Amino acid sequence: MVTIPAITLNDDTAFPELGLGTYRLTGAEGVDAVVSAIAAGYRLLDTAVNYENEREVGDAVRRSDVDREELLVTTKIPGRDHGFDETIASARGSLHRLGLDRIDLYLIHWPNPRVGRFVDTWRAMIALRDEGLVRSIGVSNFTPAMLARLMDETGVVPAVNQVELHPYFPQAELRAFHATNDIRTESWSPLARRSELLSESVIQRIAERHAVTPTQAVLRWHVQLGSTPIPKSADASRQRENADVFGFSLGDDEVAEISALERGRLWDGDPQTHEEF
Ligand SMILES: NC(=O)c1ccc[n+]([C@@H]2O[C@H](COP(=O)([O-])OP(=O)(O)OC[C@H]3O[C@@H](n4cnc5c(N)ncnc54)[C@H](OP(=O)(O)O)[C@@H]3O)[C@@H](O)[C@H]2O)c1
């Protein structure tokens, strides 16, 4: 089992430097996959209402041998539940499906700026946190201007912003904004959904030099950028491989070489225009 180190969020919560993505992990196989990840050392689990697997993640938490207090379960509010009362109801639905009495990290899944209700949603999340139903609150797919609006209008800084981030889209400007405001960056699709990233010659060369796999080189790059990657794998041996990135370090030049693969988003997920409900 790997021990995944943790950093401290702006609300004093210990937060793992790597977690498990669960998109598409559904049904009995999904539960087995999350149980095997917990056994491998994962403590941060990332689900969402829209992944339709909150039940599976909750079942895995109960089936695992690890104490509930050591695990951090993330879920996310879908666009259709934006608004104060809607968010309170959405949280209760998630808690019910998870079968847990607390959500450890609660995120706004997409800002949907044309709907214009993410500040009301954020106010409800602050209330849920104050009530103890949620431990940490954050957002996903927010731009610096949207983050600034939340902070200006409520005085509460999100603990986390989970965004698309991988070597093809390193998000330097957004990460700098997060660093200035003590917001933890979390990387979704950290392996660029596998794609051709893992066969890029620069990644292969750096991986060989450190006697690790290309996936491990990429995940280590995230860790050294100061972002928590949440790679998804349904396979126990790939889960172990992905978590085992804390025994080597890349040089600054190698981090820069990987970042130079930048070419943009994987698909048209620009938070200014993309909406999800
Ligand atoms: N907030 C958002 O809007 C948002 C959007 C997208 C995703 N997410 C979250 O981010 C998580 C991760 O992103 P993702 O699932 O899109 O993509 P990803 O983690 O970048 O890539 C997952 C793909 O890589 C494969 N893979 C994993 N480990 C591997 C290894 N060691 N060697 C070779 N292939 C490997 C997986 O296959 P196997 O399963 O067969 O190993 C799967 O096909 C999601 O599951 C979800 O929790 C959030």
Side-chain angles (χ1 to χ4, degrees), residues 247-260:
F248 70 101
S249 293
L250 304 176
D252 291 346
D253 52 335
E254 293 174 320
V255 170
E257 271 186 272
I258 296 177
S259 302

Side-chain angles (χ1 to χ4, degrees), residues 208-224:
E208 265 171 44
R209 197 179 297 147
H210 291 274
V212 298
T213 65
T215 313
Q216 289 173 322
V218 169
L219 293 170
R220 182 70 208 175
W221 171 85
H222 287 272
V223 169
Q224 288 187 219

Side-chain angles (χ1 to χ4, degrees), residues 23 46 51 140-141 162 189 191 193 232-234 238 242:
Y23 180 52
D46 185 76
Y51 303 167
S140 179
N141 301 303
Q162 183 186 110
S189 295
L191 304 174
R193 292 206 171 138
K232 171 263 172 186
S233 181
R238 288 194 288 280
N242 295 350

Side-chain angles (χ1 to χ4, degrees), residues 67-255:
D67 192 83
R68 164 72 183 101
E69 289 309 309
E70 284 187 41
L71 297 169
L72 280 91
V73 176
T74 305
T75 194
K76 314 188 191 86
I77 304 160
R80 62 182 177 279
D81 290 343
H82 282 201
F84 192 96
D85 293 342
E86 293 84 346
T87 296
I88 304 286
S90 193
R92 292 194 190 282
S94 287
L95 285 163
H96 175 72
R97 284 185 297 277
L98 289 163
L100 302 175
D101 56 13
R102 186 191 66 228
I103 295 165
D104 300 293
L105 174 63
Y106 203 29
L107 306 179
I108 303 179
H109 204 150
W110 284 89
N112 290 3
R114 271 182 295 187
V115 175
R117 304 186 82 187
F118 65 70
V119 178
D120 285 345
T121 303
W122 187 242
R123 289 190 204 283
M125 292 166 76
I126 296 167
L128 287 162
R129 186 190 62 178
D130 292 348
E131 221 185 310
L133 293 175
V134 168
R135 187 156 68 184
S136 297
I137 53 176
V139 295
S140 179
N141 301 303
F142 272 50
T143 63
M146 294 167 183
L147 291 164
R149 199 168 151 215
L150 289 185
M151 297 188 282
D152 289 348
E153 294 197 25
T154 69
V156 177
V157 182
V160 168
N161 188 16
Q162 183 186 110
V163 293
E164 178 177 352
L165 204 165
H166 41 72
Y168 292 141
F169 195 50
Q171 296 258 37
E173 210 176 303
L174 181 61
R175 282 188 289 106
F177 183 88
H178 290 168
T180 305
N181 291 283
D182 199 12
I183 298 168
R184 178 67 179 179
T185 311
E186 211 182 356
S187 310
W188 63 253
S189 295
L191 304 174
R193 292 206 171 138
R194 192 157 48 184
S195 58
E196 67 275 29
L197 175 69
L198 302 178
S199 35
E200 292 282 356
S201 58
V202 58
I203 306 253
Q204 300 232 342
R205 190 162 29 80
I206 290 171
E208 265 171 44
R209 197 179 297 147
H210 291 274
V212 298
T213 65
T215 313
Q216 289 173 322
V218 169
L219 293 170
R220 182 70 208 175
W221 171 85
H222 287 272
V223 169
Q224 288 187 219
L225 289 187
S227 184
T228 291
I230 46 169
K232 171 263 172 186
S233 181
D235 175 80
S237 69
R238 288 194 288 280
Q239 291 170 350
R240 282 195 297 275
E241 172 190 340
N242 295 350
D244 188 10
V245 298
F246 298 96
F248 70 101
S249 293
L250 304 176
D252 291 346
D253 52 335
E254 293 174 320
V255 170

